[in-house]
Structure formats: C-alpha cells, structure tokens
Amino acid sequence: MSDLFPAAPADDLRHLRLDTLVRLRWLAIAGQSLAVAGVHYGLGFPLPFGWCFLAIAISAWLNIALRIRFPLNHRLREGPATALLSFDILQLAALLYLTGGLQNPFAILFLAPVMISATALPPRHTLALGLLAAAMATMLVFLHRPLPWGGVERPFLPISYQLGNWAALLLGLGFTGIYAWRVAKEARDLSDALAATELVLAREQHLSQLDGLAAAAAHELGTPLATIALVARELSKHAPPEGEMAEDIILLREQVERCRGILGKLASLQDDDAGPLDRLSLRLLIEEAAGPQRPFGVPFEIAMEGEKPEPVCRRNPGMIYGLGNIVDNAVDFASTRVAITAQWTDATVILTIADDGPGFPPEVLMRAGDPYLSGARDKESRAGGGLGLGLFIAKTLLERSGATLMFSNLPQPQTGASIRIRWPREVFERDDRADATSKLESMDLHASE
C-alpha cells in the first residue's frame, strides 16, 4: 500500500538552479582568461598559454552546451550538481598544474566549489567535493609545472612553505565548508518553519471561514427545512397509507430530520459539556461515527485488534464528526462493504476506514484532504460540484484531536480507498479538562505556599 503522508515543502525548490552555476562559471572563465592573458602578455612571463586556454575553452564549451540543452529555470538534483562542481575543481587543478601548483596564489579558489556545495547540497556531497579538492591540492604540492616568472632566476619556495599553503588550504576547506553549511541549514530551518506556520494559518483560516459558512447555512436552512417538514406532514395526511407515494413521503421526512441533525452537529462542535457519557471506548467511538450510516444498506465489517485494556477517549464532537464524515464518504463510494479496523498498542491507536469502491483518482491522491480541490474524492465531487471540503473538514478536525491521516488506495487486485488515522495513545486518552483542573490545583497550591 502506498501511503500518503502529510505534504512537506517541495525539495525541488532547494535544488541548485543550473543558471546559477552557469553564471558563476562564466565569471570564473572571465577571471581565468584575464589572469592568463595578463601574465602572458601584460607581464611577459612565459607559460603554456595554449594549454591554459584549452582548459578554459573546455569550461566555456560546457557552459554553452548546458545553455542549449536545458532551460534557464532548470534545477539540478544532487548528483548532476555534484558532477558539475567536481568538473570545476578538476578544471582549476589543471590550470594550477600548468601555472605552478600550490605556489600559485589562485589556489585559494579551491574553496569556491566546496562553499557552493555546502550551501545547497547534502553534507555527504560536500564532503566528497572537499575530499576531491584536498586530493588535487595534495597532488599539486609535488606535481606541477614551474610558476610563471620573469627573468632568468625563478624564486624557489621551500617544500615546507608549500606544505604550509597545503595545510592552510585544507583548513580553509573544512572551516568554510562547515560554516557555510551551518548558516545555510539555519536559513533552511527558518524557511521550513515559516512555511509550516503559513500552512497552518491558511488551514485555520479556511476552517474559520467554513465555520462561518456553516453558521450561515444553519441559519438560512432552518426556515426552508421547517417548510419542507410542514409540507411533508400535510402530504402524509392526504396521501394513501400505503403505496409508493407514502414511502416517498416517509423518506422525505427522514431526510429532513437528518438535515436537522447535521446542522445540530455543526452547531455543537465546540460543546464540551457531554454529560454523563463523557468517556467513550474505541468501539463506542466507531459506533457513534458509523451508526448514522447503517440505514443506507451498506454492511460494515468492524475488526478490533489489540490487547486489553481497550483505549478510552473523552467525547469529542469534532472527532466524532470528522470520523463520521469519512465513514459517510466510504459508504457513498462502496460497492458492497465498508471495513473499519481498529488497532492499538501501548503507544498508538490506529483506525483504518476502507471501502471497495473505485478508490482515489491518481491525479488527486497526492493532494487528498486539501480544500477546494477540483475532482477530489468527496461525495459532493461525485455529484459534479464538489470542492473537497468534506475531507478537508474531517482531516482538520481529526488533526486538532492529535491524529495524523494517511490516504491511499488498496493494493491490487483489490479496489477501493483507505484512510488511516493514527493517534499517540496518550493523546487519544488524554482528558483536556482534567489536565486543566490539575493545572489550576497546582497554581492554587503554589499560590498558598
């Protein structure tokens, strides 16, 4: 079964843009060209000019090929980005080999690809690039062409000095890499936190708007429902006691009462006064959610899997309404049955509600539970005008109770949809009012001390 977990921020947005690397490489190409031409023509120092420009030309050809092959907004995954940064390290190593190795002051540029990787790639890729740069730097200590210089006598830099440059370069690679990674990670964490906050606020705003719509609907529908009930009652007086018309009138009155019950539930979602039946076992919770759907003729298969004691929760109208909405959807789409499986351990409580209908359409499975989702698997959508609000309301109400929801289709050859609702057991069994009372008693005790 391919479960769907709550969506997270898209990782693709964190990948390096190809345009960024291409622009940085053009900057490096311009700098390398100026440096080589300036040393050869400006200072008149002998150096393998043709080989140096061949290395620079290969980098330019790569940039041109990438521009032709990919669009400007293309984002690189970790592997291709690491490969391109590895090329930059190798190209720089080739230029340094031709121009003095670590005696060349431009060896400090080994830090650039590693720093770019530290800000945008996972640590293992940055470590691989750092090891590659360290290996190239180590090779250049002992294997390189002479440093370009004017005059007959060239300066001789002792091996100890070159090893000092090598050690400084390696320390620079480690320090800048770790520092850049930490700064980028903090920025990503802050961005994720802000995105999660915006998502929660948006969901709460949607639900608040729906609360207002529900209140307005309850107010507006009260009068028409009363009129329909009155007309149905009058029709029942004049209609024959038996026959299709009598059955239709009875069905009409039942549906009016059902509408009144639904509006009553919407009005009592925040009602904490549950009376003597304040606590519900898991089985009774399932019965409360599934009971209103039993008259519609779809059989229920309820399985309880777990050792005693059975979990007991506080009566939560929002939880009951959310579960009832999911069961209602399952009944509407089921072909022959709806299966409800309850599982519990010392740590978790899990409810799985499955039907044998067509299942979630593939194009909306990844967004199931989002509001205003065209084509969502909601009973309203089947009628041709649904916006996915039923699943969204149920999901939000259940998440308020501490649950997490996972949407999936049943594995082949079975057909149908499955919604898995999971609570930590301590969250499922907690009593918010008892917690509040204990906190007040604690405050009173501290105050008296």
Side-chain angles (χ1 to χ4, degrees):
M1 180 182 299
S2 58
D3 290 335
L4 172 68
F5 293 87
D11 290 337
D12 286 346
L13 297 180
R14 295 180 180 176
H15 294 157
L16 270 172
R17 289 181 63 201
L18 178 62
D19 183 61
T20 301
L21 289 183
V22 169
R23 287 177 181 272
L24 290 174
R25 189 175 290 114
W26 280 127
L27 183 62
I29 289 170
Q32 293 167 357
S33 301
L34 287 175
V36 170
V39 170
H40 185 72
Y41 294 108
L43 299 178
F45 294 171
L47 79 166
F49 183 79
W51 287 106
C52 290
F53 260 94
L54 176 61
I56 297 172
I58 292 174
S59 185
W61 291 336
L62 176 61
N63 258 11
I64 294 172
L66 291 173
R67 282 291 197 191
I68 295 174
R69 174 65 180 81
F70 298 101
L72 293 178
N73 61 350
H74 179 72
R75 291 188 179 272
L76 297 167
R77 295 195 175 276
E78 290 85 354
T82 303
L84 289 177
L85 292 173
S86 299
F87 169 82
D88 292 334
I89 293 175
L90 295 174
Q91 190 257 2
L92 177 61
L95 283 176
L96 291 175
Y97 165 78
L98 296 170
T99 56
L102 288 193
Q103 300 178 46
N104 191 322
F106 289 104
I108 193 70
L109 293 177
F110 272 130
L111 299 178
V114 177
M115 186 177 299
I116 293 172
S117 173
T119 59
L121 298 179
R124 64 181 184 277
H125 294 268
T126 302
L127 177 61
L129 290 171
L131 292 175
L132 177 62
M136 293 297 101
T138 303
M139 181 195 71
L140 291 173
V141 173
F142 306 101
L143 184 63
H144 57 82
R145 299 286 297 271
L147 180 70
W149 200 263
V152 179
E153 296 185 359
R154 294 176 181 270
F156 174 75
L157 299 177
I159 189 66
S160 57
Y161 178 81
Q162 296 185 55
L163 289 175
N165 283 344
W166 173 81
L169 181 60
L170 261 61
L171 288 174
L173 286 172
F175 176 78
T176 56
I178 294 174
Y179 180 79
W181 175 75
R182 286 296 305 173
V183 171
K185 183 178 183 300
E186 291 176 3
R188 285 193 294 266
D189 290 344
L190 179 59
S191 176
D192 288 348
L194 291 175
T197 302
E198 290 177 357
L199 179 62
V200 171
L201 290 176
R203 290 167 65 95
E204 292 298 325
Q205 182 180 9
H206 278 306
L207 192 63
S208 297
Q209 293 171 349
L210 291 172
D211 288 343
L213 291 174
H219 175 74
E220 295 294 333
L221 290 175
T223 301
L225 281 176
T227 303
I228 295 172
L230 178 61
V231 172
R233 188 165 56 249
E234 293 297 323
L235 286 174
S236 64
K237 294 179 181 179
H238 298 87
E242 296 180 357
E244 293 184 1
M245 181 178 295
E247 293 176 358
D248 291 341
I249 293 173
I250 293 174
L251 179 61
L252 178 61
R253 298 183 66 176
E254 289 176 352
Q255 293 305 308
V256 169
E257 292 302 320
R258 187 185 176 206
C259 290
R260 285 178 171 174
I262 292 173
L263 294 179
K265 286 182 181 180
L266 292 176
S268 63
L269 287 180
Q270 303 300 327
D271 185 9
D272 289 332
D273 185 11
L277 301 178
D278 187 39
R279 308 290 291 178
L280 289 174
S281 66
L282 183 56
R283 182 179 292 275
L284 288 178
L285 176 65
I286 295 172
E287 289 296 335
E288 286 229 4
Q293 309 305 323
R294 289 187 181 277
F296 293 95
V298 177
F300 285 86
E301 296 179 2
I302 299 177
M304 309 293 291
E305 301 175 4
E307 298 180 358
K308 293 185 178 181
E310 184 179 328
V312 177
C313 68
R314 184 174 68 87
R315 179 183 293 275
N316 183 333
M319 183 191 299
I320 297 172
Y321 182 82
L323 289 174
N325 200 312
I326 292 176
V327 173
D328 190 9
N329 273 295
V331 169
D332 286 339
F333 283 90
S335 298
T336 59
R337 65 183 179 85
V338 172
I340 302 177
T341 304
Q343 300 168 299
W344 66 89
T345 65
D346 292 337
T348 60
V349 177
I350 299 173
L351 275 181
T352 304
I353 302 173
D355 61 67
D356 58 352
F360 290 104
E363 65 273 13
V364 300
L365 177 59
M366 298 301 295
R367 294 180 58 199
D370 287 353
Y372 309 111
L373 175 59
S374 178
R377 184 190 181 275
D378 198 337
K379 62 180 180 180
E380 298 164 354
S381 301
R382 177 67 65 87
L387 299 175
L389 297 182
L391 280 180
F392 166 69
I393 295 172
K395 183 173 184 288
T396 305
L397 290 173
L398 289 170
E399 286 178 345
R400 281 182 173 182
S401 71
T404 55
L405 280 74
M406 290 171 283
F407 301 87
S408 65
N409 286 324
L410 295 177
Q412 296 293 335
Q414 303 179 72
T415 60
S418 173
I419 299 179
R420 187 169 180 261
I421 308 158
R422 179 185 179 277
W423 291 269
R425 182 158 181 165
E426 61 179 6
V427 174
F428 182 83
E429 294 186 327
R430 72 185 174 190
D431 190 334
D432 296 336
R433 287 177 295 174
D435 293 341
T437 302
S438 62
K439 290 178 181 179
L440 289 174
E441 291 175 350
S442 177
M443 292 172 61
D444 291 340
L445 180 59
H446 287 298
S448 62
E449 293 176 350

